Every structure is written in structure tokens, then in C-alpha cells.
Amino acid sequence: MFAKTQENIDRIRTFTPVDEDLAQIPADIARVAIETREQFGLGVDSYRCQLWCDPDGIDVFADIAYAQPTGDTIAHIKAHSLDIYLPHDALLRGGATLPVIVDIHGGGFVYGYKDLNRNFGTHVASYGVAVVSLGYRLAPTTDFMGQLQDIFTALQWLQAHAHEYPIDLRNLFITGDSAGATLALYTAAALNSTVVGEQLHCPIQDLPVRGTIFQSGLFELEPFTRGSSTTDTLPYIAQMGGTFFTSFAEQTTEELQSMQGLVQYAQLPPSVVITSSDDFLETQSLLFAAAMRQRGNYCEIYDVVPTKGKTLGHVFPVGQVWLEESQQVFEIMQRFVFDHSQYYL
């Protein structure tokens, strides 16, 4: 872990807020958020970010506002903006044929801008797809339902502006890593299942998801909605008052709050699940894939075992795009997207 110097704190501010969005938050709760963000940011991301870069041939449209910011700091602006990453060749050719992958970044619901995933998104785009990377408000400035509403608002913006880019929203896929996978799962369920969409107050119609790609996901929310301790997986959520999932629990049925129930209840699209043998959420991925297959839903799972003397860990394709294992994941994503896309004249 990097030392907590001003230089290192300034470095992590390029991909996560630290205290920028916390002026209206009670001091004791803000302190927990700051400590958590610093702990995350000064860990491996501080090392990895020095190697992050965009590949050649990718056009980046960054920091596009999809809603009015709730404040004037960079954190408020980033929270309601998105990036679009496109192969330059698609712009040269014209037309509107690229399948679209919407990416929802992770960070335990409390950490990270969309910029945390820019390195991942631009590399995925180099495999011949469009990537739309979404920002959203972080805990403790909002809760789980608020984050979902931000994502729905961003998707509404995308519906309204898709004609400005060489993309085809009829071939829409959603990916997310860690907590972003949780948000991606419920977003896909809301878009594909009317009953789920109603409970989650999703305003979007006629935007079905053709497939989902989950990386090191957190899929089981029942321990949180039933008031069980959050200290094992999300200790800072409990320390910030433990209310992050309260409105979600109050506004949804029990079936929607559990992994098994959601898989049975929702019309989930085909999925790819990525994890590794040294991922602390590996079991969640395995159980989710099993639930999908038991339901008869299409689900591929890739549980990568690193070679001796090496590690992969949590969300390795997002944080370490240069790894051979990560490049294999990008090839899997490319094949999955094109296999499950339909093409129109």
C-alpha cells in the first residue's frame, strides 16, 4: 500500500473522489467514507494506474453529462456523466451497427469514478464493440436505489442520443465488476422483466438486454436486506449507518432481494461470469452460475486458476488489462457479444 502522502492522495483523485462529494454528509460518516476510499485507492490501484493507457485506434468521448450535477465539484460532475469508447474505424465507415456494452464500474458502492474503468473500457472497445462507461453517485451520498436510478437516467440519455454514434442499441449488453456487477444484474433484470422494473422504479421501456458479463460479482444481497451483519463483506456500509440497502429492502419483495429469488423471478438474459481462484468473491460467482443453469438460463463461467507463483485476484481483467488471462477474457467477451447479437439491414 502506498504511503498516505499528499502526492499519492492527489494521484488517486484522478480515478476516485476522496472527500469532494461529502460536504453535506455528517462528519462521522464522512470519515468512514474517506478512510475506505483512501484504503482502496492507495492499494493496488495506485500501482496499476501508472500502467493504464488507451490503445491505439480508439476514439474517446469523455465526461458527457447525462443529467444535471447535484453540485459543482468534480465528484458531482463525474457522478452524472458517461464516457463512450469507439473503434475509430467504425466512425470512418459510418452506419450504426456496433453492438454496445454498457460498463458499470465497481468499488464497493463507495469508491471510484467511471475513469477507474477507462483502461478496461478502451481495451474492450479495441475488440470491435462500442463501450459506454457510466458514472453514478457513491455511498454515502446516495443508496443502492439511488445508484440504480442514476444508471436508468444514463440509459435514457443513451436512448435519446444513440443516433449520434455508430451504435446499435438493439444489441445492448451490460457488464459490471464487483459492486458494479450487482448494479448490472439488477439493471438487466429491470430492463428485461416488467415486474422487476416496476419494483425498481425503472422508467425505461423497449430497451432489452441481450446479454450480461459479470466480473467478480457480488450477487447475494439477502444478508444485507435482512439486517444481517455487513462486517464481513462490506464493513464500511455498516459503519456508515447500515442504511444503504434499506429503501431497496422496503420497496421490493423478498424474492427480488436474494440471488436465487432474482434468478427465478426475473427474465435474465444469457450471461458470462468471470472470476479467479484467488478472488475473494469467487464463491458468489460459482453460486450465481449454478443458479442460472438450474433455472435453465444460458450461463458461461470462467474461473481462472493462476500459474504457480502468480496471482490474479479480484476483477483482474479490469485492473490488469496487460495480462494474458485478461486478454483471453476480452476475446471471450467479443465472441459472446457477437454470438448473441442480431444484425439488421
Side-chain angles (χ1 to χ4, degrees):
M1 181 173 177
F2 272 112
K4 186 179 173 181
T5 65
Q6 189 59 52
E7 180 182 0
N8 290 333
I9 294 296
D10 289 343
R11 180 186 292 114
I12 71 172
R13 289 185 194 276
T14 63
F15 55 78
T16 185
V18 177
D19 57 0
E20 292 88 334
D21 56 342
L22 302 176
Q24 304 303 315
I25 302 299
D28 58 333
I29 295 176
R31 176 184 53 78
V32 175
I34 292 168
E35 290 175 353
T36 302
R37 292 170 178 180
E38 289 179 347
Q39 179 184 3
F40 286 3
L42 293 173
V44 293
D45 285 341
S46 292
Y47 295 93
R48 293 171 178 172
C49 73
Q50 299 177 56
L51 297 178
W52 291 344
C53 62
D54 299 330
D56 293 335
I58 299 300
D59 292 315
V60 175
F61 301 86
D63 296 329
I64 303 170
Y66 67 75
Q68 186 68 29
T70 58
D72 58 3
T73 73
I74 187 65
H76 291 98
I77 294 169
K78 291 281 189 183
H80 284 137
S81 66
L82 55 82
D83 292 354
I84 299 177
Y85 312 131
L86 300 171
H88 184 62
D89 181 64
L91 293 174
L92 295 176
R93 290 175 181 269
T97 60
L98 285 182
V100 181
I101 299 178
V102 168
D103 179 41
I104 304 173
H105 73 82
F109 305 108
V110 73
Y111 163 82
Y113 296 134
K114 59 180 172 49
D115 306 63
L116 185 66
N117 280 30
R118 172 167 169 160
N119 180 55
F120 167 73
T122 55
H123 278 78
V124 172
S126 70
Y127 282 76
V129 299
V131 176
V132 180
S133 181
L134 305 185
Y136 55 89
R137 289 170 294 164
L138 302 174
T141 65
T142 192
D143 61 9
F144 185 66
M145 290 291 280
Q147 292 181 350
L148 285 172
Q149 293 308 310
D150 286 349
I151 293 166
F152 297 152
T153 301
L155 290 174
Q156 285 183 300
W157 183 95
L158 188 60
Q159 274 188 305
H161 294 270
H163 65 280
E164 301 172 14
Y165 303 92
I167 63 178
D168 187 352
L169 275 187
R170 293 173 295 185
N171 290 319
L172 173 67
F173 297 78
I174 299 181
T175 188
D177 60 281
S178 196
T182 318
L183 294 164
L185 172 61
Y186 279 89
T187 299
L191 294 179
N192 280 25
S193 304
T194 301
V195 289
V196 178
E198 290 175 351
Q199 291 189 50
L200 297 180
H201 310 298
C202 179
I204 301 170
Q205 296 180 352
D206 301 322
L207 189 63
V209 180
R210 292 206 175 273
T212 47
I213 303 164
F214 302 118
Q215 319 220 24
S216 299
L218 172 67
F219 299 106
E220 184 56 81
L221 296 185
E222 190 174 39
F224 309 120
T225 60
R226 292 201 172 186
S228 300
S229 173
T230 59
T231 56
D232 291 339
T233 305
L234 304 174
Y236 46 87
I237 294 295
Q239 295 164 15
M240 291 190 298
T243 61
F244 181 74
F245 292 104
T246 299
S247 64
F248 171 71
E250 292 173 346
Q251 298 175 41
T252 58
T253 60
E254 290 185 3
E255 292 87 351
L256 199 62
Q257 297 167 22
S258 73
M259 179 182 64
Q260 288 282 353
L262 183 64
V263 170
Q264 292 293 325
Y265 194 56
Q267 298 171 348
L268 295 177
S271 296
V272 171
V273 178
I274 310 293
T275 187
S276 68
S277 60
D278 56 349
D279 176 11
F280 78 97
L281 289 179
E282 179 194 25
T283 300
Q284 295 249 341
S285 292
L286 297 175
L287 291 174
F288 176 77
M292 288 283 284
R293 290 180 175 179
Q294 289 170 359
R295 178 68 172 80
N297 293 351
Y298 182 93
C299 185
E300 303 177 22
I301 182 164
Y302 298 91
D303 189 3
V304 185
V305 179
T307 57
K308 290 182 178 180
K310 296 183 179 180
T311 62
L312 290 173
H314 193 54
V315 300
F316 68 88
V318 175
Q320 304 170 83
V321 300
W322 53 85
L323 297 179
E324 180 181 355
E325 295 90 344
S326 299
Q327 293 164 23
Q328 291 171 351
V329 169
F330 300 150
E331 292 173 359
I332 289 167
M333 293 177 65
Q334 179 193 49
R335 188 260 312 150
F336 175 76
V337 166
F338 283 100
D339 281 354
H340 291 273
S341 293
Q342 294 185 9
Y343 293 92
Y344 307 87
L345 297 176

